[in-house]
Amino acid sequence: MSTLVTRRLRIRHTTRVSYAQAAVSSHNEVRMTPLTLPGQTPLDARVTVNPTTPTWSYWDYWGTQVTGFDLMEPHEDLTITASSLVETAPPGPQAPAPTWPEVARTTANSRLLEYTSPTGRTTVTRELVERARSASTGLDPHETAVAVSAMVTDQVSYLPGATGVNTGAMEAWAQGAGVCQDITHLTAALLRGLGLPTRYVSGYLHPERDAELHRPVAGQSHAWIEYWAGDWTGYDPTNSTRADESHVVVGRGRDYDDVTPHKGIYRGVAGGPPEVTVEFTRVA
């Protein structure tokens, strides 16, 4: 009898915001808490804020845990630290894919429809959808997800800093370079165009699968897709692999706007962009 091999990852996600002058007040939402899922169990998860202030949490429409807080006194900077210890396990065997007519029938009568329509970030041309259709002719939904992902990464090279948070899918395609967010938006857009419900996943990917235990490793947040083929299946188009025990899910939605790690507004003079660091430690 085989034994399921799990791993434990400690994740520390820190966001520092500095203002040109003290902010009079700020109002914030944070989506950095890993979900409890089959194959993923948060053993500890907390969000702390400096300056210290009360926080509250709720679940948004898409099923992501949100931590909210307000700072009503002047403050020159803001530090948000999300710390978690997560146990993960390899994914189980992939179930046989349903037929395309079965996908269409199920989608038409369920909330899956919300994951088939384009958004502002996942809008592509009809010509590009037809190109994806040609690349996946005769393939089942699982095979189509892999083929379309490969089509995207053949065109769009992963290049940190090549795009910004407001870059659209077609802009990344035309530029031929982007980050995981762009590759995920493009893949989701094309699969939706083919009728396959696809959602955007925000979370973390340990950058060194076989990292030495208890050695901190610098990384970053990550994005990938989940498509519906009888059940939700995670696939990482940036790395051309099925989502596995190195992936940690934080939130899902239609695109990045539904799962942004930190959203906030403040009263004061505009400052520079936030400084974000993510540190992973494999502890088991």
Side-chain angles (χ1 to χ4, degrees):
M1 180 181 296
S2 61
T3 301
L4 184 65
V5 178
T6 62
R7 63 172 54 196
R8 290 186 179 181
L9 301 176
R10 192 176 298 281
I11 304 167
R12 184 178 178 88
H13 184 165
T14 305
T15 302
R16 296 183 178 89
V17 181
S18 297
Y19 307 102
Q21 297 179 13
V24 177
S25 62
S26 67
H27 309 272
N28 303 267
E29 286 186 349
V30 173
R31 289 169 172 81
M32 299 180 186
T33 302
L35 298 176
T36 298
L37 304 168
Q40 175 177 305
T41 305
L43 304 176
D44 182 49
R46 63 193 68 192
V47 176
T48 58
V49 180
N50 186 26
T52 303
T53 189
T55 64
W56 63 89
S57 63
Y58 66 94
W59 298 91
D60 69 15
Y61 177 80
W62 306 104
T64 303
Q65 185 172 337
V66 183
T67 300
F69 61 91
D70 298 327
L71 288 167
M72 304 308 295
E73 299 292 334
H75 50 288
E76 296 183 353
D77 50 43
L78 166 63
T79 300
I80 306 165
T81 303
S83 303
S84 57
L85 176 63
V86 187
E87 184 171 85
T88 62
Q94 193 171 71
T99 65
W100 285 103
E102 289 171 339
V103 171
R105 285 195 298 272
T106 303
T107 300
N109 297 301
S110 71
R111 281 187 58 187
L112 292 172
L113 270 176
E114 296 178 308
Y115 297 107
T116 60
S117 300
T119 66
R121 291 182 180 271
T122 60
T123 296
V124 293
T125 63
R126 183 182 300 275
E127 290 76 15
L128 195 55
V129 172
E130 290 307 312
R131 183 170 169 178
R133 194 180 308 280
S134 296
S136 57
T137 300
L139 301 182
D140 69 27
H142 289 312
E143 295 166 337
T144 294
V146 174
V148 170
S149 296
M151 172 184 151
V152 170
T153 53
D154 284 346
Q155 169 70 19
V156 182
S157 300
Y158 176 75
L159 183 61
T163 55
V165 295
N166 294 317
T167 301
M170 284 307 301
E171 185 179 350
W173 177 269
Q175 183 171 298
V179 296
C180 59
Q181 172 184 306
D182 306 301
I183 293 170
T184 299
H185 280 147
L186 269 166
T187 305
L190 294 173
L191 291 177
R192 290 172 187 171
L194 298 178
L196 189 63
T198 306
R199 57 192 183 190
Y200 181 103
V201 184
S202 175
Y204 304 105
L205 171 63
H206 195 300
E208 297 183 19
R209 172 179 294 276
D210 298 317
E212 179 184 350
L213 292 178
H214 308 296
R215 177 175 64 87
V217 176
Q220 55 191 342
S221 55
H222 194 55
W224 61 97
I225 63 164
E226 288 179 348
Y227 62 89
W228 192 87
D231 198 358
W232 288 108
T233 299
Y235 191 80
D236 184 345
T238 303
N239 293 293
S240 303
T241 184
R242 194 175 173 197
D244 60 18
E245 67 274 18
S246 292
H247 293 74
V248 176
V249 178
V250 170
R252 298 135 156 172
R254 296 162 300 177
D255 61 24
Y256 175 81
D257 289 337
D258 288 335
V259 291
T260 306
H262 174 222
K263 292 181 180 179
I265 58 172
Y266 66 91
R267 293 178 57 206
V269 178
E275 176 188 345
V276 178
T277 59
V278 182
E279 181 182 270
F280 299 86
T281 306
R282 184 169 166 242
V283 298

